[in-house]
Amino acid sequence: MSTENQNGSLQTTFNNAVATVQFGHPASNSFPRQLLDRLTAEINALSFNETISVVVLQSEGSKVFCSGASFDELLQVENEQQGTEFFSGFAHLINAMRNCSKLIIGRVQGKAVGGGVGIISACDYVLAIPESAVKLSELAIGIGPFVIEPAVSRKIGKAAMAEMTLAAHEWKSAEWALQNKLFSEIHTAQDLDNAVANFAQKLSSYNPEALSEMKKIIWEGTEYWESLLLERAAITGKLVLSDFSRNALTQFKK
């Protein structure tokens, strides 16, 4: 299935028991709300697809995996309800990924910022390249990585999460991400696709029922995220209305 419009593109292809979902947006693979909703719906649909057992999540291009929320849409937020609604998009996506009955492999071919780091954290296994630096820049624009924090902290721990968050202007290297368990493997750009394909095919050769049960165990104890992430979206939705955030977002757009 493939969908494409001014709000970005989304395409799913199938190879045996592996579904590859690719998203893209002209603005550094950022996420307007419509694209978030489309990706969430696709993950939910694949969860019930009995012909697959593994999902590969990837993005277009070669330099940026995902730059997080759409700044254009953030600047259009006029009240707390709109702010909460926008950031709940990331909440719904992360919950869809953790609830998905299929194991999700992340293919990270470039840098990731903010919500992009949250999406990586919601993957079950991540293969990246040496250029795949990561950053949580939310404090620099007057908000915080509140919605994605549970997913990021679950992967790298509270201390590393705090380090990333407080050093809001600092890129963390792919090696740092590997050492802190955000990434599972690092490969050269030339080898990444083969590494992802080989791992996905090997994983999909296992008993699908065992994989599904393993997925439940991997995410055990996160059931409360259904309400927690939406509560966090409300916090962010309020903060994005501050004068600090308005000014910072405008500066970032220049």
Side-chain angles (χ1 to χ4, degrees), residues 57 65 104-109 119-129 132 155 178 181-187 192 196 199:
L57 182 61
F65 172 72
I104 300 177
I105 299 171
R107 172 190 175 273
V108 181
Q109 85 296 4
I119 292 171
I120 291 171
S121 300
C123 293
D124 300 301
Y125 199 93
V126 178
L127 295 87
I129 64 174
S132 299
K155 271 289 180 72
L178 179 67
K181 309 303 182 184
L182 184 65
F183 297 159
S184 308
E185 301 178 16
I186 292 179
H187 298 270
L192 180 63
V196 170
F199 184 75

Side-chain angles (χ1 to χ4, degrees), residues 146-197:
F146 303 114
V147 174
I148 65 172
E149 180 277 325
V152 180
S153 289
R154 174 182 165 273
K155 271 289 180 72
I156 70 177
K158 288 285 187 180
M161 170 69 190
E163 181 181 335
M164 283 192 77
T165 301
L166 299 182
H169 289 88
E170 179 181 330
W171 288 99
K172 296 296 185 182
S173 69
E175 186 61 35
W176 184 94
L178 179 67
Q179 292 174 354
N180 285 279
K181 309 303 182 184
L182 184 65
F183 297 159
S184 308
E185 301 178 16
I186 292 179
H187 298 270
T188 66
Q190 294 76 16
D191 294 337
L192 180 63
D193 285 337
N194 282 337
V196 170

Side-chain angles (χ1 to χ4, degrees), residues 73-252:
E73 284 199 1
L74 284 178
L75 284 167
Q76 293 172 13
V77 172
E78 296 179 346
N79 54 58
E80 288 187 28
Q81 181 178 352
Q82 290 179 356
T84 300
E85 177 68 15
F86 177 79
F87 286 103
S88 67
F90 280 99
H92 293 315
L93 175 58
I94 290 174
N95 276 326
M97 292 176 69
R98 71 175 184 83
N99 285 325
C100 184
S101 64
K102 319 301 178 182
L103 289 167
I104 300 177
I105 299 171
R107 172 190 175 273
V108 181
Q109 85 296 4
K111 293 182 176 181
V113 183
V117 178
I119 292 171
I120 291 171
S121 300
C123 293
D124 300 301
Y125 199 93
V126 178
L127 295 87
I129 64 174
E131 293 77 19
S132 299
V134 293
K135 179 168 68 171
L136 294 179
S137 60
E138 284 85 345
L139 283 180
I141 57 173
I143 56 176
F146 303 114
V147 174
I148 65 172
E149 180 277 325
V152 180
S153 289
R154 174 182 165 273
K155 271 289 180 72
I156 70 177
K158 288 285 187 180
M161 170 69 190
E163 181 181 335
M164 283 192 77
T165 301
L166 299 182
H169 289 88
E170 179 181 330
W171 288 99
K172 296 296 185 182
S173 69
E175 186 61 35
W176 184 94
L178 179 67
Q179 292 174 354
N180 285 279
K181 309 303 182 184
L182 184 65
F183 297 159
S184 308
E185 301 178 16
I186 292 179
H187 298 270
T188 66
Q190 294 76 16
D191 294 337
L192 180 63
D193 285 337
N194 282 337
V196 170
N198 290 338
F199 184 75
Q201 288 299 330
K202 173 61 71 175
L203 197 60
S204 68
S205 70
Y206 301 148
N207 183 347
E209 293 183 10
L211 293 177
S212 182
E213 291 300 321
M214 194 66 228
K215 174 81 179 213
K216 294 177 184 177
I217 291 173
I218 290 172
W219 289 94
E220 194 173 37
T222 64
E223 294 80 8
Y224 67 101
W225 287 15
E226 292 291 345
S227 59
L228 174 65
L229 300 192
L230 293 176
E231 293 169 4
R232 297 287 184 83
I235 295 173
T236 316
K238 180 179 180 180
L239 286 172
V240 79
L241 295 171
S242 69
D243 290 339
F244 187 103
S245 288
R246 299 287 95 181
N247 293 333
L249 285 167
T250 301
Q251 290 299 316
F252 268 83

Side-chain angles (χ1 to χ4, degrees), residues 35-56:
L35 185 57
L36 278 171
D37 290 347
R38 288 154 58 197
L39 179 55
T40 300
E42 186 67 1
I43 296 295
N44 285 332
L46 291 173
S47 183
F48 293 99
N49 188 327
E50 296 182 356
T51 68
I52 65 166
S53 55
V54 175
V55 174
V56 174

